Amino acid sequence: MENSALTEGELVDGGAVGVSGKALTPLEVIVEGRHYSLLTSPVVLRSLKLKWRYFGKRAALIQTFVYTVSLLVWSLVSVACDWEKRHLYPTGQKWRIAFEVAAVMFLVYDCSSEVVEYVKSQREHEQWAEWRLASLERDLATCHPACPDEADYVRQEIKRISDSSPSYFEDMWNVLDWLCYILMLASVISHVINIVQPSRTIARVHAAIMTTTVIFMWLRLLKYLRAFRKLGPFVVMVTRIVRDVFKFVFLYLIVFVPYACGFWTFFGNRDIETVPATNTTSATVVSGFADASELLFQLFMASIGNEDFISNIVKIDSVIARLLVGTFLGMTSI
């Protein structure tokens, strides 16, 4: 029997069980077992259509609406005031307090919902593992001595299930959820610290954290758009593209890092000596190569077409400059 085939016993007696102790629905078993080819069955498609019409659509719209409101509130809070003056609340900006309180309430709601989801997944996995192990123990007791392979298979299943763990964090969307919650909490804490002890450094750190938080929160909106037919395939396509991009980033770094070391060795923090008509000598640091961070940025910009720094480094060593720039641009363009 192919892996995509499910018998009646697998759906009812041999499948996973939920909190109530009963077998999961066929759709849940298909997803848990990754029998995705069955999703194209007319029966399954009809079931999905009915579930979406009577249950899924309403829940998806509510969740998307609530999160969109939360996202807009956090975005407004991030730009409502100049980052250097966020610890001040003039008379005309008292409305900021209401929006900041609302943002914190959304954070508490999201965190509590996520904790409940995590605890539920842990409980369901534990109950399923307990039920499945009991079933395998019964199977092991009835294995015929003349068929040792059957007993070995059951023992392997027992070991696999005993060593298994909940798949909560295997879903990268859950990882993104917690990353957003951590950033949101860090934004709140840094803002409170800036109010209690105003400091330009703290305010700048808070602004950086807040900016990062809003970026990841907007990316998290894709999670809620997956449920809709017109946007779901696009979200899946984007997630697969991101996975491929990480592979290309790894290959890019293999070229980028050694060339960055080479450019820093010859041109990092080096001076360009010029001799004007007055026979006086002056020196200036190569623009964009004063420190390592500027050099890395200049190299990245060069790989996407901005090569303004070449005219400066050629003045220091024209041969090495042309050799490094030519081979670097050639390899990154590939």
Side-chain angles (χ1 to χ4, degrees), residues 264 267-273 282-291 294 312-313 316:
W264 179 257
F267 310 110
N269 200 23
R270 296 296 180 89
D271 295 337
I272 303 174
E273 295 186 359
S282 62
T284 57
V285 178
V286 179
S287 176
F289 283 64
D291 56 48
E294 290 186 11
N312 289 330
I313 63 176
I316 297 179

